[in-house]
Amino acid sequence: LLVSFYDVSVDNIDSVTADKDFSSMQTLKGPSGKDWTDFDKIKFTIKTKNGNEVSVQADRCGGDTSYATVTNTAGEELFRHSMPDEEDKANVSVLEAKYPGAMPYFFSQDPDYITVKDRVGNFCANGVEAEGIATIDIACETLKVAEYLVPVLQEQLK
C-alpha cells in the first residue's frame, strides 16, 4: 500500500520515525537454536521527499481482525475498512471446520487469495489485465522498502 498509493520508495524516503510507545521488538530462539529478532507490534511514520506522509501500525499478536484507516492531517478519520467482515466471518467458520489446524489468517484472507489467483490466471491464460494486482515492479520496490525499514526501525527501538 505504501508503494502503490503513497509513492513510497527507498529513493524518496526522507525520514522514518518509530512510535516507541506502541512498538515492540523481540528476539527469540528459532527451532534451529538461532536467535531471530522481529517486531510483534510496530507503528511508524514515513515522510517522503515529495511531501507525502503516511503511518503504519500493525500488531501481529492482536487477534484475527485487521483494519486500515485514512485520516486527514488533523487526525480526523476519513475512511475505515475492517476485515474480516460478517460474510468473511461466516466463511472462516466453514474453513476452520474443513481445515483444522491451519493458520487462522489464511481463512479470513481466503476470498482475497481466490481473487488474486483468478486475476493472475486470467492474465496468464488470456492476456487480460490483472486489475488491482500489484505488478512485479511494485512487488520488488515493496521488498526494497521493507529491507530498508527493518534496520532503521530496529535501531530506533533498541
Side-chain angles (χ1 to χ4, degrees):
L1 295 174
L2 295 174
V3 174
S4 296
F5 296 109
Y6 293 94
D7 195 32
V8 173
S9 69
V10 171
D11 293 335
N12 77 358
I13 292 175
D14 185 45
S15 67
V16 177
T17 306
D19 180 328
K20 294 177 183 179
D21 293 330
F22 178 86
S23 301
S24 172
M25 182 174 66
Q26 295 187 43
T27 300
L28 303 171
K29 289 209 180 298
S32 68
K34 181 180 176 184
D35 284 346
W36 292 93
T37 300
D38 204 352
F39 309 102
D40 54 299
K41 293 182 358 175
I42 188 74
K43 182 176 180 182
F44 59 91
T45 299
I46 294 176
K47 293 182 182 176
T48 63
K49 294 173 184 172
N50 58 354
N52 290 336
E53 182 174 326
V54 60
S55 296
V56 173
Q57 176 178 320
D59 182 347
R60 296 172 65 186
C61 301
D64 295 332
T65 301
S66 298
Y67 70 92
T69 59
V70 176
T71 59
N72 61 20
T73 55
E76 299 165 327
E77 188 173 298
L78 304 175
F79 173 80
R80 175 181 286 260
H81 175 75
S82 183
M83 66 173 269
D85 60 19
E86 292 308 313
E87 185 178 326
D88 291 338
K89 287 178 186 175
N91 189 42
V92 165
S93 298
V94 170
L95 293 171
E96 283 175 334
K98 189 174 179 179
Y99 304 105
M103 296 303 291
Y105 59 84
F106 287 129
F107 303 140
S108 62
Q109 296 175 10
D110 180 68
D112 297 323
Y113 292 137
I114 291 169
T115 298
V116 168
K117 289 189 286 187
D118 285 347
R119 290 180 185 178
V120 171
N122 197 23
F123 173 75
C124 293
N126 305 309
V128 175
E129 180 71 27
E131 185 178 324
I133 307 299
T135 65
I136 193 70
D137 291 335
I138 290 172
C140 289
E141 189 59 41
T142 300
L143 290 173
K144 289 178 191 175
V145 169
E147 291 297 318
Y148 172 84
L149 290 174
V150 169
V152 170
L153 292 167
Q154 284 178 333
E155 183 63 30
Q156 290 183 30
L157 295 173
K158 281 185 180 177

